[in-house]
Amino acid sequence: MRRTLSRRVLVAAVLMATVSTPVAVAPATAVRTVAADRYQQDDCPPDGLGPELTARLDKAVEDVRRQAGIPGVIAGLWMPGRGSYVRATGVADTVTGEPMTTDLFMRIGSETKTFTVTALLRLVDDHRIGLDDPISDYVDGVPGGEGITLRQLAEMRSGLFPYSSDPDFVQALEGDPSRTFTPQELLAYGFRHGSTSAPGEVFQYSNSNLVLLGLVVEKVSGLRLADFVRRQVLRPARLRHTLFPAGAEFPAPHARGYSDETPSGEITDATDWNLSWAWAAGAMISDLPDLRRWAEIVATGTLLRPETQAERLKTLPTGFPGTSYGLGIFETGGWIGHNGSLPGYESVTVHLPAQKATLVLLINTDVRSQGQEPSTLLARAITEIVTPDNVYDRPVPPR
């Protein structure tokens, strides 16, 4: 691939580890649910933003879509007391010309991290793990694992080399995008490299961290990560169209996804690539209504104890101006959540607590435009219009 997959980093812009296989399934943790009627009383009427603002948003979305060469866009903006903006524009399939619609399943890439870390924090709530436990308590063979905590893994400050930057990994995935990788195989690519920094010192976005946290969830819960996420995150959050695939499966209807992550840099259809390589860091699938709901849940901590959510939101500088990172979550311009980018798809799911606003974007390409993620360009254009004091990934003013 022309660019390493480690470029999938938040807004500015993924020695063998082992865990023993438990014989018995551990008791399920207590389920804290989200009240159903919370999402049935909608004070974001579809025409509430007014024709002038709606027209400005239509133009902004379409301008970015055309200028960045995005095949199709699904956009949702909800502002309580004001209104909402929900649109689909462009095409879901460049061959057939099938239009993009708002009811499609989409791959959400690194937004998966918010689900994996929520699963981890549910175990923290139940006193089955501690954020300051060393990873060596749960996973063998991690270089320097005695000095790396679960907290540091979740906040991207472990210093572990990202497996997706390893040339042999890139070659293996490039050679066979349908290949299935195990978590241990993924970590082995990263563990052959030395640490990039001491634990806790430097922010470095690395999918190795999330794969390790996925293994912790499995070790402690006695369940597959996908099963624990389904039972303890998706079900209590009432997310009925969000799933953790085992491989390349993709429920219908969905948009085709287009990527230039190829040896030649030519754009190809990456829809059916096997996402086992992203696992706990980026393999999940969802849709617009579920992500609207999830944005508020993850930003406000509905599924967690208040003290646990407070730990999650202790964000630290990333080196990207205006953007800080907590436990599997970022803050930029007041917006809290995560984005996702993987071959063929990008997404943004964020919540602005100051206005109780939610923004969700889903697109079917990861091809950069002038060096920037197209989903970031869209989010920035929308927030510049509706929340000018809270712009998503606001560019640094030139000196």
Side-chain angles (χ1 to χ4, degrees):
M1 297 187 178
R2 293 185 306 118
R3 302 185 302 275
T4 65
L5 291 164
S6 62
R7 76 169 173 86
R8 315 283 176 197
V9 298
L10 36 126
V11 292
V14 236
L15 186 70
M16 187 78 71
T18 60
V19 292
S20 58
T21 302
V23 175
V25 173
T29 56
V31 175
R32 294 174 289 280
T33 61
V34 177
D37 61 0
R38 183 173 184 177
Y39 300 99
Q40 293 170 352
Q41 299 173 356
D42 198 333
D43 60 349
C44 302
D47 57 351
L49 296 179
E52 181 180 352
L53 183 56
T54 299
R56 288 179 64 196
L57 289 170
D58 281 342
K59 183 178 187 303
V61 170
E62 192 62 14
D63 284 350
V64 172
R65 189 186 75 79
R66 293 185 181 279
Q67 291 166 12
I70 305 170
V73 174
I74 299 171
L77 171 70
W78 297 270
M79 307 187 74
R82 293 181 60 184
S84 62
Y85 174 84
V86 178
R87 288 288 190 275
T89 182
V91 297
D93 187 324
T94 61
V95 175
T96 66
E98 179 183 355
M100 187 71 93
T101 57
T102 59
D103 61 344
L104 301 180
F105 287 97
M106 299 285 278
R107 299 197 188 278
I108 61 172
S110 284
E111 289 191 28
T112 302
K113 293 175 172 66
T114 62
F115 293 93
T116 298
V117 173
T118 298
L120 184 85
L121 295 178
R122 297 275 278 181
L123 293 172
V124 171
D125 269 357
D126 291 330
H127 307 291
R128 302 175 71 181
I129 62 172
L131 282 172
D132 296 315
D133 294 345
I135 185 61
S136 59
D137 284 358
Y138 304 98
V139 181
D140 296 330
V142 181
E146 299 82 1
I148 299 172
T149 66
L150 305 186
R151 182 192 303 274
Q152 290 164 342
L153 291 166
E155 64 189 12
M156 300 292 181
R157 290 175 178 269
S158 70
L160 293 172
F161 186 88
Y163 67 81
S164 50
S165 291
D166 177 80
D168 290 340
F169 166 76
V170 175
Q171 184 177 15
L173 182 59
E174 171 188 307
D176 183 9
S178 66
R179 172 179 171 176
T180 296
F181 292 88
T182 67
Q184 291 77 16
E185 288 172 334
L186 296 173
L187 291 171
Y189 287 111
F191 290 173
R192 64 174 65 174
H193 300 269
S195 296
T196 59
S197 67
E201 287 191 355
V202 178
F203 174 88
Q204 181 185 28
Y205 196 83
S206 172
N207 287 340
S208 299
N209 297 326
L210 269 292
V211 170
L212 284 168
L213 293 181
L215 291 176
V216 172
V217 171
E218 292 195 333
K219 175 71 175 292
V220 175
S221 71
L223 298 170
R224 292 189 315 123
L225 177 62
D227 292 335
F228 187 84
V229 168
R230 184 176 66 254
R231 296 184 189 186
Q232 294 298 322
V233 181
L234 303 182
R235 186 178 298 167
R238 303 185 188 276
L239 303 182
R240 299 182 177 89
H241 294 91
T242 303
L243 65 148
F244 204 133
E249 63 267 32
F250 201 165
H254 59 255
R256 309 299 297 180
Y258 303 94
S259 179
D260 61 350
E261 290 282 359
T262 58
S264 65
E266 294 183 3
I267 296 176
T268 190
D269 187 329
T271 306
D272 299 317
W273 288 10
N274 188 325
L275 290 186
S276 61
W277 69 267
W279 195 50
M284 290 182 68
I285 294 167
S286 191
D287 69 357
L288 183 67
D290 268 17
L291 291 176
R292 174 195 178 182
R293 182 176 300 187
W294 181 242
E296 182 177 352
I297 291 172
V298 75
T300 61
T302 305
L303 296 182
L304 302 172
R305 301 184 194 280
E307 56 269 28
T308 305
Q309 179 69 3
E311 292 297 313
R312 175 181 226 163
L313 295 181
K314 290 180 179 178
T315 60
L316 297 171
T318 61
F320 300 108
T323 298
S324 56
Y325 203 87
L327 303 181
I329 197 169
F330 67 62
E331 185 276 329
T332 181
W335 293 90
I336 297 173
H338 218 289
N339 68 339
S341 180
L342 77 171
Y345 300 89
E346 287 193 353
S347 59
V348 173
T349 295
V350 289
H351 184 71
L352 182 62
Q355 299 190 35
K356 298 183 179 180
T358 293
L359 174 66
V360 177
L361 298 172
L362 297 162
I363 65 176
N364 58 341
T365 186
D366 66 309
V367 179
R368 287 192 169 195
S369 175
Q370 298 181 344
Q372 297 193 67
E373 305 281 2
S375 58
T376 295
L377 297 175
L378 279 168
R380 186 184 299 152
I382 290 171
T383 55
E384 283 176 342
I385 292 172
V386 296
T387 56
D389 294 330
N390 298 98
V391 175
Y392 180 98
D393 190 30
R394 188 193 300 269
V396 178
R399 293 183 180 181

